[in-house]
């Protein structure tokens, strides 16, 4: 009987912990607030975001269960898609964001995005941290196209992505052009934008003839619509 009671107490503690953790989604601790962190996603709405080159967020981006996700079925029903971008622009910052991709899915976190009607897509100006089902999407077989990598520019030393259906945590640190990416605590890329090293990376990539690519020190942050369901949460930024 004592073992049964202890087991029940332990189970109750686990459930209680899960509930507490769930309540902490999309919030800032007192320490984070003191450090200057701000939420980019409130967990309940698309406030602070809009579709690229539009005035508001597409209905295809839906908020549910504390995450903002791209719903491809909504697009089939007539809702326009498109990348979701922050209303604000950022230059020097640390960004944290959780993501979860659908089976066979593809998306990305794009930054230093310049918004202009002459540019039809956010990726024409902004570099991308890849979000992918590495195992089942064709891009997973391409060098520098796996999750966490600086897309088509730098190959990560390892692949720390979690299996489809699990949440991953991306971190982007950008200060005076110096750029460092981490996925689940593992560094996946480091370089400095606007340097000869950066120019060489771009010259050896698919972006070599894209005149606006990687040219903007300050820009929006975008969540990519690549035609697959994807979810993001705990999006927070600390300007440096």
């Amino acid at each position: 009987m004592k073992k049964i009671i202890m087991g029940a107490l332990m189970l109750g503690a686990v459930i209680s912990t899960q509930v507490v953790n769930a309540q902490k989604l999309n919030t800032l601790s007192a320490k984070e607030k003191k450090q200057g962190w701000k939420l980019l996603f409130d967990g309940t709405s698309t406030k602070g975001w809009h579709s690229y080159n539009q005035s508001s967020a597409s209905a295809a981006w839906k908020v549910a269960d504390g995450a903002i996700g791209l719903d491809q079925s909504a697009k089939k029903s007539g809702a326009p898609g498109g990348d979701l971008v922050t209303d604000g622009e950022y230059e020097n910052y640390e960004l944290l964001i959780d993501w979860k991709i659908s089976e066979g899915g593809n998306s990305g976190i794009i930054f230093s995005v310049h918004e202009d009607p002459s540019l039809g897509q956010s990726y024409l100006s902004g570099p991308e941290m890849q979000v992918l089902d590495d195992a089942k999407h064709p891009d997973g077989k391409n060098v520098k196209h796996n999750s966490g990598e600086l897309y088509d520019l730098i190959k990560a030393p390892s692949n720390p992505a979690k299996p489809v259906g699990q949440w991953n945590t991306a971190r982007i640190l950008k200060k005076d052009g110096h750029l460092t990416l981490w996925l689940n605590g593992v560094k996946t890329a480091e370089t400095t934008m606007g340097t000869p090293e950066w120019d060489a990376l771009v010259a050896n990539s698919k972006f070599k003839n894209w005149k606006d690519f990687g040219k903007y020190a300050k820009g929006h942050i975008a969540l990519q619509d690549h035609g697959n369901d994807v979810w993001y949460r705990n999006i927070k930024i600390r300007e440096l």
Side-chain angles (χ1 to χ4, degrees):
M1 178 62 73
K2 185 179 291 186
K3 290 183 178 180
I4 294 175
I5 293 173
M6 287 300 295
L9 288 173
M10 291 177 64
L11 178 60
V14 171
I15 293 173
S16 177
T17 300
Q18 290 175 339
V19 170
V20 170
N21 288 340
Q23 292 173 343
K24 291 182 179 178
L25 289 177
N26 308 302
T27 61
L28 296 174
S29 67
K31 182 179 180 181
E32 287 175 321
K33 291 177 181 178
K34 188 175 182 179
Q35 291 173 335
W37 288 92
K38 296 180 180 178
L39 289 175
L40 290 180
F41 170 54
D42 62 16
T44 61
S45 72
T46 55
K47 181 180 179 181
W49 297 80
H50 62 276
S51 294
Y52 186 71
N53 278 333
Q54 303 297 320
S55 60
S56 61
S58 164
W61 286 95
K62 297 183 177 181
V63 178
D65 301 323
I68 187 166
L70 183 63
D71 184 357
Q72 293 300 318
S73 64
K75 290 171 61 176
K76 294 177 182 178
S77 299
D83 296 353
L84 193 67
V85 302
T86 55
D87 290 346
E89 294 183 82
Y90 306 93
E91 183 172 357
N92 297 312
Y93 57 86
E94 183 176 6
L95 176 74
L96 288 174
I97 178 169
D98 293 345
W99 60 263
K100 182 172 67 172
I101 192 67
S102 56
E103 185 173 355
N106 188 343
S107 183
I109 303 163
I110 306 175
F111 50 93
S112 295
V113 171
H114 182 63
E115 195 166 22
D116 191 288
S118 66
L119 298 173
Q121 301 287 345
S122 68
Y123 60 74
L124 292 176
S125 59
E128 173 188 347
M129 185 178 189
Q130 178 74 300
V131 169
L132 193 77
D133 175 359
D134 298 318
K136 293 192 175 181
H137 191 282
D139 252 13
K141 297 180 176 62
N142 295 338
V143 176
K144 297 179 283 191
H145 286 203
N146 279 259
S147 293
E149 294 184 327
L150 186 58
Y151 179 78
D152 211 61
L153 294 172
I154 296 178
K155 176 177 173 53
S158 63
N159 187 343
K162 296 179 181 178
V164 166
Q166 295 186 28
W167 286 98
N168 296 267
T169 298
R171 177 185 174 206
I172 298 175
L173 181 64
K174 183 176 176 291
K175 181 69 167 68
D176 299 328
H178 190 78
L179 181 67
T180 314
L181 308 183
W182 291 266
L183 181 63
N184 298 322
V186 177
K187 185 165 72 172
T188 56
E190 185 172 10
T191 186
T192 302
M193 299 174 69
T195 63
E197 175 194 32
W198 175 261
D199 292 340
L201 290 173
V202 175
N204 287 290
S205 74
K206 65 190 291 183
F207 312 116
K208 60 184 178 182
N209 295 320
W210 298 17
K211 63 181 182 66
D212 290 285
F213 181 80
K215 299 297 186 183
Y216 298 90
K218 186 175 184 178
H220 302 274
I221 295 165
L223 308 179
Q224 188 182 39
D225 175 359
H226 204 287
N228 305 114
D229 290 348
V230 64
W231 301 268
Y232 295 95
R233 70 182 188 187
N234 291 332
I235 311 171
K236 57 188 74 173
I237 195 167
R238 178 171 69 98
E239 294 192 74
L240 304 173

